[in-house]
Amino acid sequence: MSIPKDKLLAPSPDKHNVVLIACGSFSPITYMHLRLFPLCRDWMNANGHFVRGCYISPVHDAYKKVDLAPAEDRLEMCRRATKESPYIMVGDWESQQEGWTPTRQVIEKHSQVVNEGEDYHTDVVMICGSDLLKSFNTPGVWAPEDMKTICENGICVVQREGDLVEEFSALNPILSEALEAGKINRIVNKIENNVSSTLVRCVEARERREKCKG
């Protein structure tokens, strides 16, 4: 089990140091997943922060999502997709635990590793699409304390077409407070690509059914 540090830049002594992390199934990883990183990294660097590096953390098999590929396969897909990236790393700590781990604990573990032996603190900021942030409003999905901790660390959200972060944040006191405090960084993706992992799995399933009919 490892959280690599080989692509991390040294922390800045005079800027807000951050590391970006994307948590999810990545079954499979898509162009839109990968697009989140440069969008968020560039925005954060341009707005007074210093991004030391980025992480992908695939979820444990115990998440039990429909058609979830084995962790070993998802990790390999993510590693191949980011092999040439100078700043995106893939950590297997989450997927190698005994069971499913809440996102807050995943962020805390990465924070522990990233800050070990460093003179300047680095915040681990979650990056996501607006659909994931909207799930903060779904009863039973996120524990209130987990939402608070994640928001305190900071969130970078890339807005999808038709999703207004202000509207669904207004329905959640935790999100509303974080948005007002500047903890939620909203980024507009001007080049849309809506190919999701769910769509890829649906297309593959349809093709398998057609082959069986043949």
Side-chain angles (χ1 to χ4, degrees), residues 133 137 164-173 175-176 179 184:
L133 191 64
N137 290 346
L164 297 177
V165 173
E166 296 88 345
E167 288 187 3
F168 61 76
S169 294
L171 304 174
N172 185 320
L175 286 181
S176 181
L179 191 62
I184 299 178

Side-chain angles (χ1 to χ4, degrees), residues 8 10 28 31 35 46 53 60 64 68 74-75 79 92 117 157 159 163 170-171 173 202 211:
L8 279 182
Y31 173 80
R35 182 71 180 138
H60 194 280
K64 299 296 185 183
L68 184 68
R74 291 182 285 117
L75 284 164
R79 287 175 180 136
D92 65 4
V157 56
Q159 295 185 205
D163 278 338
L171 304 174
C202 288
K211 287 181 180 179

